[in-house]
Amino acid sequence: LAKTTQPISMDSYEGQEVNITCSHNNIATNDYITWYQQFPSQGPRFIIQGYKTKVTNEVASLFIPADRKSSTLSLPRVSLSDTAVYYCLVGDLNTNAGKSTFGDGTTLTVKP
Amino acid sequence: SAVISQKPSRDICQRGTSLTIQCQVDSQVTMMFWYRQQPGQSLTLIATANQGSEATYESGFVIDKFPISRPNLTFSTLTVSNMSPEDSSIYLCSVEGGSGRFFGPGTRLTVL
C-alpha cells in the first residue's frame, strides 16, 4: 500500500489559489489518487479523484505528473469556509477497496 | 453519491459497557467500512464488512472488541465492547461509490 506524505499545515488568505502536494513514491500501477476534505465534527467529503495528468471539477483541480509519484490539489480562490483538513488517499479501488491508508492530512487555514 | 446516516451521533458511556453504532446507506452497497478517528488524528480503518460474510479486521483490531454485523446491503452495525477511555474517538462508516469513498457523519464516543 502506498504511503502518502503531505505538509502538516498551510496558511492562505481569502481569494488566493492554494496548492497542496502529496507524495506517494510507492504508488502502484492500479492505484488511483483521491482527495478528501474534512471539517471538524464531520466525516471526510470527497473532493476529486484522478489517475494521471489533470482532472478538474467544479471545486478543484488535481495535477498528477507522468511518474505519478506525487499529486497536487489546487483550490482556486479559497474562502474562509475552505478552512479544513485535506487528505490525500492512494489505493486500488477495485482490488483493495477500503485498504487505502489515510495519511496525516494537511490542515489548511484560510485567513481574511 | 451515497447518503449515509449514523446513530447515535454522539454518546457518553461508562467504562466496561458496550455501545452499538448503526450505519444506514440510501443505496445497496457491497462493501461497508468502519473507521476510527481519535482526537486530532487521521482516520484508521477498523474493518471491512461484506454482506453475508465475516468482517475482515485490520491489524490491531479484533472481533471480540469490535463485533460487526452486516445483515443486508444497506445497513451495518459496529459494537465497541467493554469500553475504556482509550476508545474515546469518532467512529465513521464508509462506502465505496463510483467516484470515491463516502463517509457518514460519524459517532462521537466519549468513555468516562
mmCIF file of all heavy atoms in Angstrom, chain A residues 13-42:
data_model
loop_
_atom_site.group_PDB
_atom_site.id
_atom_site.type_symbol
_atom_site.label_atom_id
_atom_site.label_comp_id
_atom_site.label_asym_id
_atom_site.label_seq_id
_atom_site.Cartn_x
_atom_site.Cartn_y
_atom_site.Cartn_z
ATOM 1 N N TYR A 13 -4.754 33.153 2.335
ATOM 2 C CA TYR A 13 -5.680 34.253 2.507
ATOM 3 C C TYR A 13 -6.815 34.121 1.524
ATOM 4 O O TYR A 13 -6.687 33.493 0.461
ATOM 5 C CB TYR A 13 -4.966 35.595 2.324
ATOM 6 C CG TYR A 13 -3.999 35.898 3.440
ATOM 7 C CD1 TYR A 13 -2.658 35.516 3.336
ATOM 8 C CD2 TYR A 13 -4.421 36.532 4.598
ATOM 9 C CE1 TYR A 13 -1.771 35.775 4.367
ATOM 10 C CE2 TYR A 13 -3.536 36.794 5.632
ATOM 11 C CZ TYR A 13 -2.220 36.413 5.514
ATOM 12 O OH TYR A 13 -1.346 36.672 6.542
ATOM 13 N N GLU A 14 -7.919 34.700 1.883
ATOM 14 C CA GLU A 14 -9.089 34.645 1.010
ATOM 15 C C GLU A 14 -8.742 35.123 -0.391
ATOM 16 O O GLU A 14 -8.017 36.107 -0.569
ATOM 17 C CB GLU A 14 -10.201 35.541 1.573
ATOM 18 C CG GLU A 14 -10.943 34.951 2.745
ATOM 19 C CD GLU A 14 -12.177 35.764 3.091
ATOM 20 O OE1 GLU A 14 -12.005 36.889 3.598
ATOM 21 O OE2 GLU A 14 -13.291 35.277 2.852
ATOM 22 N N GLY A 15 -9.264 34.438 -1.379
ATOM 23 C CA GLY A 15 -9.068 34.840 -2.767
ATOM 24 C C GLY A 15 -7.829 34.269 -3.424
ATOM 25 O O GLY A 15 -7.683 34.334 -4.644
ATOM 26 N N GLN A 16 -6.942 33.689 -2.631
ATOM 27 C CA GLN A 16 -5.729 33.123 -3.203
ATOM 28 C C GLN A 16 -5.969 31.708 -3.704
ATOM 29 O O GLN A 16 -6.923 31.033 -3.303
ATOM 30 C CB GLN A 16 -4.612 33.107 -2.159
ATOM 31 C CG GLN A 16 -4.058 34.472 -1.807
ATOM 32 C CD GLN A 16 -2.827 34.378 -0.918
ATOM 33 O OE1 GLN A 16 -2.663 33.426 -0.154
ATOM 34 N NE2 GLN A 16 -1.960 35.375 -1.004
ATOM 35 N N GLU A 17 -5.078 31.260 -4.577
ATOM 36 C CA GLU A 17 -5.072 29.873 -5.010
ATOM 37 C C GLU A 17 -4.180 29.086 -4.052
ATOM 38 O O GLU A 17 -3.100 29.536 -3.696
ATOM 39 C CB GLU A 17 -4.540 29.753 -6.439
ATOM 40 C CG GLU A 17 -4.447 28.316 -6.935
ATOM 41 C CD GLU A 17 -3.812 28.220 -8.314
ATOM 42 O OE1 GLU A 17 -2.565 28.336 -8.391
ATOM 43 O OE2 GLU A 17 -4.540 28.054 -9.292
ATOM 44 N N VAL A 18 -4.661 27.920 -3.667
ATOM 45 C CA VAL A 18 -3.891 27.079 -2.749
ATOM 46 C C VAL A 18 -3.552 25.769 -3.443
ATOM 47 O O VAL A 18 -4.423 25.134 -4.053
ATOM 48 C CB VAL A 18 -4.681 26.794 -1.464
ATOM 49 C CG1 VAL A 18 -3.972 25.749 -0.620
ATOM 50 C CG2 VAL A 18 -4.860 28.079 -0.657
ATOM 51 N N ASN A 19 -2.307 25.385 -3.336
ATOM 52 C CA ASN A 19 -1.853 24.115 -3.898
ATOM 53 C C ASN A 19 -1.290 23.242 -2.783
ATOM 54 O O ASN A 19 -0.361 23.644 -2.091
ATOM 55 C CB ASN A 19 -0.779 24.345 -4.963
ATOM 56 C CG ASN A 19 -1.306 25.115 -6.155
ATOM 57 O OD1 ASN A 19 -2.317 24.744 -6.732
ATOM 58 N ND2 ASN A 19 -0.634 26.195 -6.523
ATOM 59 N N ILE A 20 -1.841 22.069 -2.626
ATOM 60 C CA ILE A 20 -1.387 21.127 -1.608
ATOM 61 C C ILE A 20 -0.819 19.909 -2.330
ATOM 62 O O ILE A 20 -1.528 19.264 -3.108
ATOM 63 C CB ILE A 20 -2.529 20.686 -0.675
ATOM 64 C CG1 ILE A 20 -3.214 21.912 -0.058
ATOM 65 C CG2 ILE A 20 -1.989 19.784 0.429
ATOM 66 C CD1 ILE A 20 -4.450 21.566 0.757
ATOM 67 N N THR A 21 0.427 19.604 -2.032
ATOM 68 C CA THR A 21 1.086 18.490 -2.708
ATOM 69 C C THR A 21 1.177 17.274 -1.804
ATOM 70 O O THR A 21 1.423 17.390 -0.609
ATOM 71 C CB THR A 21 2.487 18.905 -3.176
ATOM 72 O OG1 THR A 21 2.354 19.956 -4.131
ATOM 73 C CG2 THR A 21 3.208 17.737 -3.834
ATOM 74 N N CYS A 22 0.970 16.127 -2.404
ATOM 75 C CA CYS A 22 1.050 14.854 -1.691
ATOM 76 C C CYS A 22 2.079 13.979 -2.390
ATOM 77 O O CYS A 22 2.065 13.850 -3.617
ATOM 78 C CB CYS A 22 -0.325 14.188 -1.711
ATOM 79 S SG CYS A 22 -0.404 12.569 -0.918
ATOM 80 N N SER A 23 2.975 13.407 -1.625
ATOM 81 C CA SER A 23 3.969 12.494 -2.179
ATOM 82 C C SER A 23 3.526 11.059 -1.955
ATOM 83 O O SER A 23 3.092 10.707 -0.851
ATOM 84 C CB SER A 23 5.332 12.712 -1.511
ATOM 85 O OG SER A 23 5.815 14.004 -1.776
ATOM 86 N N HIS A 24 3.637 10.264 -2.997
ATOM 87 C CA HIS A 24 3.295 8.835 -2.901
ATOM 88 C C HIS A 24 4.240 8.067 -3.799
ATOM 89 O O HIS A 24 3.866 7.594 -4.876
ATOM 90 C CB HIS A 24 1.823 8.578 -3.257
ATOM 91 C CG HIS A 24 1.225 9.558 -4.216
ATOM 92 N ND1 HIS A 24 1.424 9.513 -5.578
ATOM 93 C CD2 HIS A 24 0.421 10.627 -3.978
ATOM 94 C CE1 HIS A 24 0.760 10.488 -6.148
ATOM 95 N NE2 HIS A 24 0.147 11.185 -5.217
ATOM 96 N N ASN A 25 5.465 7.916 -3.326
ATOM 97 C CA ASN A 25 6.528 7.326 -4.137
ATOM 98 C C ASN A 25 6.268 5.879 -4.509
ATOM 99 O O ASN A 25 6.775 5.395 -5.521
ATOM 100 C CB ASN A 25 7.866 7.441 -3.403
ATOM 101 C CG ASN A 25 8.345 8.875 -3.301
ATOM 102 O OD1 ASN A 25 8.219 9.637 -4.259
ATOM 103 N ND2 ASN A 25 8.885 9.246 -2.162
ATOM 104 N N ASN A 26 5.526 5.166 -3.675
ATOM 105 C CA ASN A 26 5.319 3.740 -3.924
ATOM 106 C C ASN A 26 3.982 3.440 -4.589
ATOM 107 O O ASN A 26 3.463 2.341 -4.477
ATOM 108 C CB ASN A 26 5.408 2.967 -2.611
ATOM 109 C CG ASN A 26 6.790 3.055 -1.989
ATOM 110 O OD1 ASN A 26 7.788 3.088 -2.707
ATOM 111 N ND2 ASN A 26 6.845 3.115 -0.687
ATOM 112 N N ILE A 27 3.452 4.398 -5.302
ATOM 113 C CA ILE A 27 2.153 4.203 -5.939
ATOM 114 C C ILE A 27 2.230 3.055 -6.931
ATOM 115 O O ILE A 27 3.209 2.899 -7.672
ATOM 116 C CB ILE A 27 1.676 5.505 -6.613
ATOM 117 C CG1 ILE A 27 0.226 5.373 -7.081
ATOM 118 C CG2 ILE A 27 2.602 5.913 -7.756
ATOM 119 C CD1 ILE A 27 -0.402 6.687 -7.495
ATOM 120 N N ALA A 28 1.181 2.214 -6.919
ATOM 121 C CA ALA A 28 1.147 1.053 -7.811
ATOM 122 C C ALA A 28 0.402 1.391 -9.094
ATOM 123 O O ALA A 28 -0.337 2.375 -9.170
ATOM 124 C CB ALA A 28 0.472 -0.119 -7.102
ATOM 125 N N THR A 29 0.585 0.540 -10.070
ATOM 126 C CA THR A 29 0.016 0.789 -11.392
ATOM 127 C C THR A 29 -1.489 0.993 -11.352
ATOM 128 O O THR A 29 -2.029 1.833 -12.066
ATOM 129 C CB THR A 29 0.350 -0.380 -12.337
ATOM 130 O OG1 THR A 29 1.760 -0.539 -12.402
ATOM 131 C CG2 THR A 29 -0.202 -0.136 -13.728
ATOM 132 N N ASN A 30 -2.179 0.225 -10.521
ATOM 133 C CA ASN A 30 -3.640 0.280 -10.490
ATOM 134 C C ASN A 30 -4.202 1.280 -9.485
ATOM 135 O O ASN A 30 -5.411 1.365 -9.306
ATOM 136 C CB ASN A 30 -4.214 -1.098 -10.178
ATOM 137 C CG ASN A 30 -3.935 -2.098 -11.288
ATOM 138 O OD1 ASN A 30 -3.823 -1.722 -12.462
ATOM 139 N ND2 ASN A 30 -3.806 -3.353 -10.925
ATOM 140 N N ASP A 31 -3.330 2.006 -8.813
ATOM 141 C CA ASP A 31 -3.789 2.934 -7.776
ATOM 142 C C ASP A 31 -4.349 4.222 -8.368
ATOM 143 O O ASP A 31 -3.781 4.778 -9.319
ATOM 144 C CB ASP A 31 -2.644 3.299 -6.833
ATOM 145 C CG ASP A 31 -2.296 2.176 -5.870
ATOM 146 O OD1 ASP A 31 -3.106 1.244 -5.731
ATOM 147 O OD2 ASP A 31 -1.212 2.252 -5.254
ATOM 148 N N TYR A 32 -5.420 4.686 -7.767
ATOM 149 C CA TYR A 32 -5.960 5.999 -8.049
ATOM 150 C C TYR A 32 -5.604 6.935 -6.896
ATOM 151 O O TYR A 32 -5.248 6.493 -5.811
ATOM 152 C CB TYR A 32 -7.490 5.931 -8.190
ATOM 153 C CG TYR A 32 -7.957 5.422 -9.523
ATOM 154 C CD1 TYR A 32 -7.867 4.077 -9.860
ATOM 155 C CD2 TYR A 32 -8.485 6.302 -10.469
ATOM 156 C CE1 TYR A 32 -8.291 3.618 -11.094
ATOM 157 C CE2 TYR A 32 -8.916 5.850 -11.699
ATOM 158 C CZ TYR A 32 -8.807 4.510 -12.003
ATOM 159 O OH TYR A 32 -9.217 4.057 -13.222
ATOM 160 N N ILE A 33 -5.694 8.212 -7.165
ATOM 161 C CA ILE A 33 -5.404 9.234 -6.156
ATOM 162 C C ILE A 33 -6.692 9.997 -5.879
ATOM 163 O O ILE A 33 -7.339 10.496 -6.816
ATOM 164 C CB ILE A 33 -4.315 10.195 -6.661
ATOM 165 C CG1 ILE A 33 -3.033 9.416 -6.978
ATOM 166 C CG2 ILE A 33 -4.051 11.281 -5.612
ATOM 167 C CD1 ILE A 33 -2.146 10.112 -7.981
ATOM 168 N N THR A 34 -7.049 10.051 -4.610
ATOM 169 C CA THR A 34 -8.290 10.699 -4.226
ATOM 170 C C THR A 34 -8.012 11.700 -3.106
ATOM 171 O O THR A 34 -7.209 11.426 -2.219
ATOM 172 C CB THR A 34 -9.315 9.665 -3.726
ATOM 173 O OG1 THR A 34 -9.384 8.570 -4.653
ATOM 174 C CG2 THR A 34 -10.696 10.283 -3.600
ATOM 175 N N TRP A 35 -8.673 12.820 -3.171
ATOM 176 C CA TRP A 35 -8.531 13.847 -2.131
ATOM 177 C C TRP A 35 -9.856 14.045 -1.419
ATOM 178 O O TRP A 35 -10.925 14.055 -2.036
ATOM 179 C CB TRP A 35 -8.077 15.175 -2.742
ATOM 180 C CG TRP A 35 -6.625 15.193 -3.104
ATOM 181 C CD1 TRP A 35 -6.040 14.672 -4.226
ATOM 182 C CD2 TRP A 35 -5.560 15.765 -2.335
ATOM 183 N NE1 TRP A 35 -4.685 14.883 -4.208
ATOM 184 C CE2 TRP A 35 -4.359 15.559 -3.060
ATOM 185 C CE3 TRP A 35 -5.489 16.442 -1.113
ATOM 186 C CZ2 TRP A 35 -3.125 15.998 -2.603
ATOM 187 C CZ3 TRP A 35 -4.261 16.881 -0.660
ATOM 188 C CH2 TRP A 35 -3.085 16.658 -1.397
ATOM 189 N N TYR A 36 -9.735 14.220 -0.102
ATOM 190 C CA TYR A 36 -10.906 14.435 0.741
ATOM 191 C C TYR A 36 -10.718 15.692 1.576
ATOM 192 O O TYR A 36 -9.603 16.087 1.901
ATOM 193 C CB TYR A 36 -11.122 13.249 1.689
ATOM 194 C CG TYR A 36 -11.477 11.965 0.982
ATOM 195 C CD1 TYR A 36 -10.501 11.115 0.482
ATOM 196 C CD2 TYR A 36 -12.809 11.612 0.794
ATOM 197 C CE1 TYR A 36 -10.827 9.949 -0.175
ATOM 198 C CE2 TYR A 36 -13.146 10.440 0.139
ATOM 199 C CZ TYR A 36 -12.151 9.615 -0.340
ATOM 200 O OH TYR A 36 -12.482 8.469 -0.997
ATOM 201 N N GLN A 37 -11.845 16.268 1.943
ATOM 202 C CA GLN A 37 -11.880 17.446 2.806
ATOM 203 C C GLN A 37 -12.653 17.072 4.063
ATOM 204 O O GLN A 37 -13.708 16.425 3.975
ATOM 205 C CB GLN A 37 -12.587 18.586 2.074
ATOM 206 C CG GLN A 37 -12.798 19.848 2.874
ATOM 207 C CD GLN A 37 -13.745 20.794 2.127
ATOM 208 O OE1 GLN A 37 -14.868 20.423 1.791
ATOM 209 N NE2 GLN A 37 -13.274 22.005 1.850
ATOM 210 N N GLN A 38 -12.144 17.467 5.213
ATOM 211 C CA GLN A 38 -12.861 17.175 6.443
ATOM 212 C C GLN A 38 -12.944 18.412 7.319
ATOM 213 O O GLN A 38 -11.920 19.010 7.668
ATOM 214 C CB GLN A 38 -12.204 16.038 7.224
ATOM 215 C CG GLN A 38 -13.015 15.609 8.444
ATOM 216 C CD GLN A 38 -12.413 14.445 9.195
ATOM 217 O OE1 GLN A 38 -11.201 14.258 9.205
ATOM 218 N NE2 GLN A 38 -13.260 13.655 9.842
ATOM 219 N N PHE A 39 -14.180 18.757 7.675
ATOM 220 C CA PHE A 39 -14.430 19.816 8.640
ATOM 221 C C PHE A 39 -14.549 19.196 10.022
ATOM 222 O O PHE A 39 -14.885 18.009 10.156
ATOM 223 C CB PHE A 39 -15.712 20.568 8.291
ATOM 224 C CG PHE A 39 -15.665 21.261 6.959
ATOM 225 C CD1 PHE A 39 -16.464 20.844 5.915
ATOM 226 C CD2 PHE A 39 -14.828 22.339 6.756
ATOM 227 C CE1 PHE A 39 -16.424 21.478 4.679
ATOM 228 C CE2 PHE A 39 -14.779 22.991 5.530
ATOM 229 C CZ PHE A 39 -15.572 22.541 4.490
ATOM 230 N N PRO A 40 -14.324 19.985 11.061
ATOM 231 C CA PRO A 40 -14.483 19.455 12.421
ATOM 232 C C PRO A 40 -15.874 18.865 12.631
ATOM 233 O O PRO A 40 -16.869 19.407 12.167
ATOM 234 C CB PRO A 40 -14.254 20.699 13.295
ATOM 235 C CG PRO A 40 -13.402 21.594 12.471
ATOM 236 C CD PRO A 40 -13.843 21.381 11.054
ATOM 237 N N SER A 41 -15.902 17.745 13.291
ATOM 238 C CA SER A 41 -17.156 17.063 13.655
ATOM 239 C C SER A 41 -17.938 16.560 12.447
ATOM 240 O O SER A 41 -19.159 16.357 12.535
ATOM 241 C CB SER A 41 -18.051 17.979 14.499
ATOM 242 O OG SER A 41 -17.376 18.371 15.673
ATOM 243 N N GLN A 42 -17.265 16.370 11.334
ATOM 244 C CA GLN A 42 -17.919 15.800 10.156
ATOM 245 C C GLN A 42 -17.043 14.700 9.566
ATOM 246 O O GLN A 42 -15.835 14.658 9.802
ATOM 247 C CB GLN A 42 -18.166 16.873 9.098
ATOM 248 C CG GLN A 42 -19.159 17.946 9.514
ATOM 249 C CD GLN A 42 -19.466 18.899 8.373
ATOM 250 O OE1 GLN A 42 -19.325 18.547 7.199
ATOM 251 N NE2 GLN A 42 -19.877 20.100 8.717
#
